[in-house]
Amino acid sequence: MIASFQTRDAGLDHQDELPVEIPDPETLPSAAELIGESSHPVAQYWSKARPFDMRYVTSPIYFKVEGEHVAHQAVWLKAIGTLPDDSALHRAAIAYASDYSILESTYRKHGIAWTHPGLKQASLDHAMWFHRPFRADEWLLYDQDTPSASDGRGLARGFFFTPGGDLAVSVVQE
């Protein structure tokens, strides 16, 4: 692990904008509602036992890829329950959750669902930058894309936005 730390400081400030026309997370179905009562243990964990509520802006790729095969997706997520007022804990929680779906944009682009026969996944590297304050127990939009996939590897990027439009965290993973 390589880590660098800084204190908050005055300086230049700009960011990418929150994507437009994104529905409110409360209007989207939860994983438990989408997966239903599947008896598969992974499906049960994914829908009911995870510490994060995830709501896909487009359909998830649990069992199939619906719609166009695009290199982009967006997911609202937040920790289930209230976390203490500890910014380090909120960063750690989002670091954990950032790995849930980041590679899905690569799969979505090629029409591959999680149930695809022979699908193997591993994180080769995972880098994060924490830009602005946020709470992991409040909704964050995780906007994800993939600029490239080749030779059995895919590169994915993700950007966590607060509902107010602040870019809080950037993620890149291969």
Side-chain angles (χ1 to χ4, degrees), residues 37 89 105-106 117 135 171:
E37 296 302 318
L89 178 66
S105 58
T106 305
R135 290 192 61 92
V171 183

Side-chain angles (χ1 to χ4, degrees), residues 46-98:
W46 198 249
S47 68
K48 296 180 180 156
R50 285 182 308 161
F52 282 83
D53 184 355
M54 291 178 56
R55 313 250 174 133
Y56 285 78
V57 172
T58 56
S59 62
I61 63 166
Y62 301 139
F63 303 108
K64 62 183 175 179
V65 178
E66 296 177 353
E68 288 185 68
H69 295 174
V70 296
H72 175 266
Q73 75 173 12
V75 179
W76 285 102
L77 64 80
K78 71 173 181 171
I80 296 172
T82 303
L83 298 176
D85 291 332
D86 177 351
S87 61
L89 178 66
H90 288 266
R91 288 190 301 269
I94 288 303
Y96 173 80
S98 69

Side-chain angles (χ1 to χ4, degrees), residues 114-132:
W114 281 106
T115 55
H116 185 80
L119 178 65
K120 293 183 176 111
Q121 175 177 311
S123 297
L124 299 179
D125 50 58
H126 191 97
M128 298 183 74
W129 295 266
F130 297 92
H131 309 298
R132 293 173 183 81

Side-chain angles (χ1 to χ4, degrees), residues 5-174:
F5 301 91
Q6 75 174 63
T7 57
R8 298 204 46 89
D9 198 6
L12 300 174
D13 190 349
H14 76 273
Q15 68 173 51
D16 282 349
E17 297 298 318
L18 180 73
V20 296
E21 299 182 22
I22 297 291
D24 183 75
E26 300 296 339
T27 66
L28 301 169
S30 68
E33 292 168 326
L34 290 169
I35 293 175
E37 296 302 318
S38 170
S39 61
H40 193 282
V42 174
Q44 285 302 302
Y45 170 77
W46 198 249
S47 68
K48 296 180 180 156
R50 285 182 308 161
F52 282 83
D53 184 355
M54 291 178 56
R55 313 250 174 133
Y56 285 78
V57 172
T58 56
S59 62
I61 63 166
Y62 301 139
F63 303 108
K64 62 183 175 179
V65 178
E66 296 177 353
E68 288 185 68
H69 295 174
V70 296
H72 175 266
Q73 75 173 12
V75 179
W76 285 102
L77 64 80
K78 71 173 181 171
I80 296 172
T82 303
L83 298 176
D85 291 332
D86 177 351
S87 61
L89 178 66
H90 288 266
R91 288 190 301 269
I94 288 303
Y96 173 80
S98 69
D99 197 41
Y100 275 144
S101 62
I102 187 149
L103 294 181
E104 288 182 359
S105 58
T106 305
Y107 300 153
R108 186 178 295 278
K109 172 68 177 166
H110 295 277
I112 296 173
W114 281 106
T115 55
H116 185 80
L119 178 65
K120 293 183 176 111
Q121 175 177 311
S123 297
L124 299 179
D125 50 58
H126 191 97
M128 298 183 74
W129 295 266
F130 297 92
H131 309 298
R132 293 173 183 81
F134 64 91
R135 290 192 61 92
D137 55 3
E138 295 176 357
W139 288 113
L140 294 167
L141 180 69
Y142 195 13
D143 190 45
Q144 305 159 24
D145 71 1
T146 178
S148 178
S150 64
D151 298 327
R153 294 181 176 190
L155 182 66
R157 301 178 293 199
F159 305 95
F160 283 97
F161 290 91
T162 66
D166 290 336
L167 176 58
V169 181
S170 295
V171 183
V172 177
Q173 181 172 308
E174 182 182 35

